[in-house]
Amino acid sequence: MSRTMEWAARTDHFRGIPRKIVIAVVGAFAKTVSSVLNTTSVHNADTLLRLVRSRPSRVPLVTVSNHMSTLDDPLMWGFKGFPIFDTKLARWVLAAEDICFRNALYSYIFRLGKCIPITRGGGIYQEHMNEALERLKNGEWMHTFPEGKVNQEEAPIRRLKWGTASLIVRAPITPIVLPIFHHGFHEVMPEKYMFDRRPPLPLWNKKVDIIIGDPIEFDLPAMRQKAISQSRSESFPTAGWPSTCDGLDEAAQRCLYATISEQIHAAMERLRCFGKSFLRS
């Protein structure tokens, strides 16, 4: 399967000028909405800034967050002090193909903005997941929304999809995984505003809070061995997944991805609970 407009996502596409233009325009939009029209507070911003700017060489970064609106990305990077205009530091993000890549113009713009199209329901071995792995192999930053879709309810974090866990396991160098919880973007871009539709423009005079956690530690060698042992005593439906490069069959992968997803979910839920007390104070 071919990759949608992959040529537009290359650094050397027209010497990188179209990407710089898109990143500048989108960055200005995010800064204006998050820091001028609305009030955004960030807890533990230094951790994110440090990992974005100065990770060990070739070590990738994976940030994970809840998904409260269609504008979470890029607005969550629009807070004061974040280097949103730096094309080299900018995140890659997994983006829904049916929303962001619905036509050629959208596809071109989102590709320039370092977005990777993902078919929801297409599984963890769809072709564009391989592209995401290549970005991680190069030590880049990837942001994902592991809940898989927008959720504007004041409720616990939903069960996570396994795509993020599979990227963590299959990446040649284990990425640093940083959980983030945010609250308020659902008021900036509500799903049902007028006539059960989103507003044509972001709303203003809202309060946004972003809670950045600490990196999640994964002992992958031990977790792999545990998954292999666990898979021998349990039965799973099969989808024909290939074995990983380190020999994990589909059953072991399912056990491992479920365990990692539960660990990420627990970290995000702790941030959500901390955020509730943070908001009350």
Side-chain angles (χ1 to χ4, degrees):
M1 182 185 297
S2 62
R3 297 179 183 178
T4 304
M5 284 195 188
E6 186 182 16
W7 48 269
R10 295 172 186 161
T11 305
D12 59 356
H13 173 59
F14 285 116
R15 299 183 178 181
I17 295 173
R19 173 179 289 179
K20 289 179 180 178
I21 293 172
V22 167
I23 294 292
V25 171
V26 173
F29 169 77
K31 287 282 188 185
T32 300
V33 174
S34 295
S35 299
V36 178
L37 299 180
N38 296 285
T39 302
T40 300
S41 300
V42 186
H43 175 80
N44 198 27
D46 288 347
T47 296
L48 175 63
L49 293 171
R50 173 175 53 83
L51 292 174
V52 167
R53 287 175 169 147
S54 57
R55 296 186 304 282
S57 177
R58 300 192 68 80
V59 174
L61 171 66
V62 172
T63 51
V64 294
S65 76
N66 58 316
H67 202 2
M68 296 204 80
S69 81
T70 53
L71 289 181
D72 290 349
D73 185 290
L75 295 189
M76 60 190 298
W77 319 121
F79 64 86
K80 294 177 182 178
F82 191 85
I84 197 169
F85 300 109
D86 191 320
T87 57
K88 292 182 179 179
L89 295 181
R91 90 289 169 266
W92 290 89
V93 62
L94 303 183
E97 188 173 41
D98 59 321
I99 295 176
C100 302
F101 295 83
R102 66 179 71 174
N103 58 45
L105 178 60
Y106 279 24
S107 297
Y108 183 63
I109 292 172
F110 278 100
R111 274 307 208 170
L112 293 175
K114 301 178 76 170
C115 298
I116 298 175
I118 291 296
T119 302
R120 290 187 282 196
I124 64 173
Y125 280 100
Q126 57 183 285
E127 178 57 33
H128 284 107
M129 289 293 280
N130 293 329
E131 181 183 347
L133 283 170
E134 291 170 10
R135 304 301 179 188
L136 295 178
K137 181 180 179 181
N138 293 333
E140 300 190 64
W141 168 26
M142 180 76 60
H143 183 73
T144 72
F145 296 101
E147 289 179 295
K149 61 181 180 180
V150 170
N151 177 21
Q152 298 198 330
E153 298 176 1
E154 298 279 357
I157 302 295
R158 290 182 174 182
R159 177 185 176 276
L160 305 187
K161 307 295 184 181
W162 288 354
T164 300
S166 76
L167 292 176
I168 294 168
V169 171
R170 295 160 61 199
I173 298 176
T174 302
I176 298 169
V177 181
L178 187 70
I180 301 172
F181 176 81
H182 53 80
H183 182 275
F185 289 127
H186 63 303
E187 296 180 352
V188 176
M189 182 53 68
E191 287 291 292
K192 296 181 179 180
Y193 178 66
M194 186 177 296
F195 306 113
D196 282 341
R197 299 178 66 87
R198 301 185 194 106
L201 296 171
L203 304 184
W204 54 90
N205 212 20
K206 307 298 181 181
K207 179 74 167 65
V208 176
D209 290 280
I210 301 174
I211 315 294
I212 297 166
D214 294 317
I216 305 172
E217 298 289 338
F218 295 105
D219 185 353
L220 286 185
M223 295 174 79
R224 285 188 177 96
Q225 290 304 314
K226 184 177 180 180
I228 291 171
S229 299
Q230 184 181 352
S231 67
R232 291 170 180 164
S233 60
E234 299 183 15
S235 60
F236 298 90
T238 59
W241 294 356
S243 295
T244 61
C245 59
D246 53 358
L248 291 180
D249 62 15
E250 181 173 345
Q253 287 179 66
R254 287 179 178 273
C255 290
L256 183 55
Y257 299 158
T259 300
I260 291 174
S261 295
E262 288 167 4
Q263 195 168 336
I264 296 173
H265 182 279
M268 293 173 64
E269 184 61 20
R270 284 194 295 271
L271 292 181
R272 187 187 75 84
C273 293
F274 174 79
K276 289 177 66 177
S277 61
F278 182 77
L279 290 173
R280 284 197 296 267
S281 63

